[in-house]
Amino acid sequence: MKILILNGPNLNMLGQREPEIYGFETLDKINSELIEFKNKENIDAELDFYQTNHEGEIVDKIQEANEIYDGIILNPAAYTHTSIAIADAIKAINIPVVEVHLSNIHSREDYRNISYSAKNTLAQIAGFSKNSYKLALLGLYEYLKNNE
Ligand code: DQA
């Protein structure tokens, strides 16, 4: 089983970007903790990681992933709230996507309460900081195992 962890704009700045909201850990640290979690939980999946600041590149990656991966864990970051292109790309593919957010987007500014992408995802996990990725991996893995 292969899972892509795809992160959108400004998440390369984690650690120094608004740490009171997003925490003090870098994206590399969050990713390496996710691998440790996968091993500890005996999750039999290969993880690949990709981060980009560009909307079109997220669309490209989602389309490409359809041929290569069994599922995607996606944090579209600010594009969550604006991108119909990303929402359409998720709808166009046959593999499940789980949307994650470090912060609880529903308890923040009004413009963050809307997710276009989540309309087409299997699930959304928001508000557990770096653990949002772990919960997404657990949920997606169980889903894929039961829907082989
Ligand atoms: C975010 C929430 C978004 O509203 C914001 O633009 C981000 C990060 C999160 O993980 O909490 O960049 O996706």
Side-chain angles (χ1 to χ4, degrees):
M1 186 186 297
K2 277 171 76 82
I3 295 175
L4 175 66
I5 291 89
L6 182 55
N7 280 292
N10 299 306
L11 294 170
N12 56 316
M13 300 284 289
L14 288 177
Q16 40 178 310
R17 173 193 178 205
E18 298 179 88
E20 64 291 351
I21 296 175
Y22 300 118
F24 286 93
E25 270 154 324
T26 62
L27 187 56
D28 278 351
K29 180 78 174 45
I30 290 172
N31 290 345
S32 59
E33 266 193 43
L34 192 62
I35 293 173
E36 279 169 29
F37 175 77
K38 174 190 93 87
N39 294 337
K40 202 179 85 197
E41 295 294 323
N42 294 316
I43 293 175
D44 187 17
E46 195 182 312
L47 307 185
D48 284 340
F49 298 90
Y50 195 80
Q51 188 276 331
T52 173
N53 291 326
H54 305 283
E55 182 178 11
E57 212 177 340
I58 297 177
V59 171
D60 287 344
K61 276 280 164 192
I62 290 171
Q63 291 180 7
E64 285 165 25
N66 197 31
E67 311 297 325
I68 304 167
Y69 294 93
D70 298 291
I72 304 174
I73 293 172
L74 171 67
N75 186 346
Y79 290 134
T80 307
H81 322 297
T82 61
S83 179
I84 294 170
I86 291 173
D88 282 352
I90 296 168
K91 203 165 191 177
I93 61 172
N94 305 315
I95 57 171
V97 177
V98 175
E99 179 176 312
V100 301
H101 297 284
L102 297 147
S103 64
N104 180 357
I105 57 171
H106 302 286
S107 66
R108 297 183 61 195
E109 301 96 326
D110 289 352
Y111 60 84
R112 291 187 206 276
N113 298 163
I114 291 201
S115 169
Y116 288 107
S117 28
K119 294 206 182 294
N120 299 328
T121 59
L122 174 67
Q124 183 199 64
I125 297 175
F128 285 109
S129 308
K130 62 186 178 181
N131 290 332
S132 292
Y133 290 90
K134 296 176 189 160
L135 295 171
L137 178 61
L138 209 52
L140 182 57
Y141 178 66
E142 289 299 323
Y143 175 86
L144 289 170
K145 265 198 326 192
N146 294 325
N147 289 276
E148 268 170 351

